[in-house]
Amino acid sequence: MKKVIIIGGGPAGLFSAYKLLQNNFKVDLYDHSSGLGKKFLVAGNGGLNLTHSEEIDEFVKKYGENESFFASMINEFTPNDLRSFCEELGVETFIGSSKRVFPENLKAAEILLNWIKILKENENFSLHLNHKFTKINSSKEITLIHFENEVKVQGEYVIFAMGGASWKKTGSDGSWSDSFQKLGIELSPFLPMNCGFERSWSAFFIEKINYSPLKNIELKFNDKPIRGEAMLTPFGIEGGGVYAHSLALRDQVIKTGEATLFIDLKPNLTEAEIQTKISHQNDKSSLSNQLRKAIGIDQVAFILLKEIYPHINRDNASGSIKNVEISLCGIRPIDEAISTSGGVRFTELNEFLELKKLKGCYVIGEMLDFEAPTGGYLLQGCFSSAARVVRGLSV
Ligand SMILES: Cc1cc2nc3c(=O)[nH]c(=O)nc-3n(C[C@H](O)[C@H](O)[C@H](O)COP(=O)(O)OP(=O)(O)OC[C@H]3O[C@@H](n4cnc5c(N)ncnc54)[C@H](O)[C@@H]3O)c2cc1C
């Protein structure tokens, strides 16, 4: 029976453990946290978006420059396979109106509990929590720290699944990168992805807005419109529609120190239609009342309009509503990001995600240097990469 050491118990590590046990491997899983799948649980807080139901050809385009690599992995372990896996765990999934796929109760806990139960019931599975990976040498001897004691383990096969570098409190701190660099493995630097952006708002705006959503808007950057929503925060702006532009926005901010995002608060109406509707309002009532009654501009949207266009009035409002110009001056810290770019470069790996410089050692999940938007593409990438490694080990 072949033994595999897995380091990291997020979805990528846990899924490779699950598949390896099914293929009669012995699995030792190490994680430096006191529990498994903490980021997966956090991902379930706002509704766990497991994957996406669009056509695979469209799906794989979301991996940008790594499209062809991900296309081969995702065709092997598809979004439907991921849904079947959830069913194996006793959790039904459904396709939402946006074609995104969610577990029935939207949460991650039930999936995770059932998953861990199955692993623990298998006599070939050993779990070692509170073990921090610190290094691996060229003979594949791994050093872990367990409550200040050094533990050394050696495995013929090792799967690294230690995640990216955001949300440190879930265990994904990116600290593994030092050891990898010492072995000469090339990494791309970690950068926030699917992240928020900074803008300095007035004190009045911060007090009134705090954290408030803007719904059913269109966000435009570099002339690319995306329908979605955003969250105004005391520091700037975040949320789904912003994350969808975050790669381009981030690169622009890194390059020039700033970027301008345009928001259309009423994307279903033309400027002329808005103007006509406003003109039918009683011009004696306040502007906020007129805009609310005419086209449903709520208080949050109105405060935003006043912040950006202090001289907004009945005659110029329609143009402003269609084009709220939000200049951004920074990127929110990496620890707040949904995901991170950067990690082990694909040039360091063969088709089975095996490190060319460390035979028998594999890298999966967010440790890989890839970028994908929210929408289930991150988790699908993690699962499909785990499936690829297991296939490689099983042939
Ligand atoms: C708020 C939020 C919402 C999200 N929502 C979604 C979503 O809806 N859909 C989606 O597709 N994706 C979502 N994601 C992203 C998704 O959760 C991650 O891409 C995914 O968890 C990455 O899986 P992973 O197994 O590669 O790494 P992780 O889940 O980060 O797991 C890594 C594991 O390795 C362990 N580890 C790290 N370093 C060491 C070490 N030195 N020694 C030992 N163990 C170590 C960690 O403790 C952890 O258990 C969300 C993320 C966040 C933060």
Side-chain angles (χ1 to χ4, degrees):
M1 197 176 238
K2 286 189 208 163
K3 178 174 135 179
V4 180
I5 289 175
I6 299 174
I7 305 188
L14 292 174
F15 189 59
S16 52
Y18 182 88
K19 296 304 276 181
L20 286 167
L21 292 168
Q22 278 185 337
N23 287 305
N24 287 320
F25 283 83
K26 203 171 161 1
V27 173
D28 271 26
L29 192 147
Y30 295 84
D31 197 295
H32 67 164
S33 276
S34 54
L36 297 167
K38 288 188 178 176
K39 192 180 263 184
F40 188 65
L41 283 175
V42 166
N45 284 346
L48 182 71
N49 182 191
L50 283 162
T51 185
H52 204 288
S53 64
E54 69 194 338
E55 291 299 319
I56 296 225
D57 288 355
E58 277 307 306
F59 192 111
V60 298
K61 285 185 188 154
K62 307 297 188 302
Y63 297 91
E65 60 186 34
N66 296 311
E67 177 183 336
S68 63
F69 203 100
F70 275 84
S72 80
M73 293 197 295
I74 286 165
N75 274 297
E76 244 169 61
F77 185 82
T78 65
N80 276 337
D81 293 328
L82 179 46
R83 296 185 71 186
S84 304
F85 165 66
C86 293
E87 276 162 32
E88 265 171 55
L89 298 179
V91 177
E92 295 290 327
T93 58
F94 71 93
I95 300 175
S97 54
S98 56
K99 290 187 160 185
R100 294 174 180 218
V101 176
F102 300 92
E104 219 165 34
N105 69 359
L106 297 172
K107 300 283 174 215
E110 191 184 358
I111 297 178
L112 191 64
L113 279 175
N114 296 354
W115 194 349
I116 294 172
K117 184 167 178 279
I118 292 173
L119 295 179
K120 285 187 173 167
E121 279 170 1
N122 193 310
E123 60 184 11
N124 293 319
F125 179 71
S126 308
L127 177 61
H128 312 265
L129 293 174
N130 301 303
H131 280 74
K132 184 177 174 70
F133 164 85
T134 54
K135 63 178 181 216
I136 181 166
N137 64 22
S138 51
S139 333
K140 288 191 290 190
E141 184 190 64
I142 296 167
T143 307
L144 301 135
I145 303 292
H146 179 54
F147 298 121
E148 294 174 13
N149 299 317
E150 235 180 46
V151 177
K152 299 219 187 265
V153 293
Q154 187 122 30
E156 201 181 342
Y157 303 104
V158 183
I159 299 178
F160 290 108
M162 289 179 279
S166 70
W167 282 71
K168 280 193 181 63
K169 66 177 176 195
T170 64
S172 324
D173 60 10
S175 60
W176 53 264
S177 58
D178 290 347
S179 161
F180 275 58
Q181 270 166 333
K182 278 184 190 140
L183 286 172
I185 295 164
E186 280 192 31
L187 310 179
S188 297
F190 292 123
L191 287 173
M193 175 71 193
N194 298 306
C195 53
F197 291 85
E198 294 184 345
R199 177 193 161 88
S200 34
W201 303 111
S202 68
F204 173 81
F205 182 90
I206 292 172
E207 192 198 321
K208 289 282 173 201
I209 291 292
N210 198 11
Y211 286 84
S212 300
L214 285 173
K215 294 196 171 156
N216 302 319
I217 56 170
E218 187 173 270
L219 302 96
K220 218 185 295 168
F221 181 64
N222 282 347
D223 288 330
K224 187 180 167 200
I226 293 177
R227 293 278 177 116
E229 52 188 57
M231 178 69 79
L232 299 171
T233 77
F235 317 103
I237 189 163
E238 58 186 42
V242 179
Y243 301 154
H245 280 301
S246 67
L247 178 56
L249 281 172
R250 180 197 75 193
D251 289 350
Q252 173 80 22
V253 172
I254 290 174
K255 207 162 135 197
T256 65
E258 57 187 13
T260 305
L261 183 65
F262 296 91
I263 294 183
D264 180 345
L265 293 168
K266 288 289 156 193
N268 293 329
L269 295 173
T270 64
E271 194 175 326
E273 285 167 339
I274 294 174
Q275 197 52 52
T276 307
K277 283 174 186 280
I278 295 172
S279 68
H280 292 148
Q281 294 300 309
N282 171 4
D283 62 2
K284 298 280 182 299
S285 80
S286 68
L287 182 61
S288 69
N289 258 340
Q290 292 181 49
L291 297 186
R292 182 173 51 78
K293 286 189 184 152
I295 49 165
I297 290 286
D298 65 16
Q299 206 198 359
V300 173
F302 186 72
I303 293 171
L304 176 69
L305 282 167
K306 283 293 275 181
E307 171 84 2
I308 306 288
Y309 302 110
H311 303 298
I312 186 170
N313 58 42
R314 197 179 142 92
D315 300 325
N316 64 20
S318 55
S320 309
I321 287 163
K322 293 295 286 175
N323 207 31
V324 189
E325 215 178 304
I326 315 259
S327 48
L328 306 168
C329 56
I331 308 166
R332 289 300 294 158
I334 195 165
D335 199 40
E336 289 176 14
I338 300 280
S339 60
T340 46
S341 316
V344 178
R345 293 198 176 148
F346 280 92
T347 47
E348 293 289 329
L349 303 160
N350 69 15
E351 63 175 312
F352 291 110
L353 301 171
E354 182 181 22
L355 285 163
K356 292 175 188 165
K357 295 188 178 114
L358 217 49
K359 290 283 168 211
C361 294
Y362 300 79
V363 179
I364 57 174
E366 226 184 287
M367 278 181 81
L368 296 167
D369 178 20
F370 77 98
E371 296 173 317
T374 56
Y377 306 102
L378 296 162
L379 283 173
Q380 181 71 49
C382 292
F383 278 88
S384 295
S385 64
R388 166 60 63 89
V389 167
V390 175
R391 186 166 81 81
L393 283 167
S394 306
V395 287

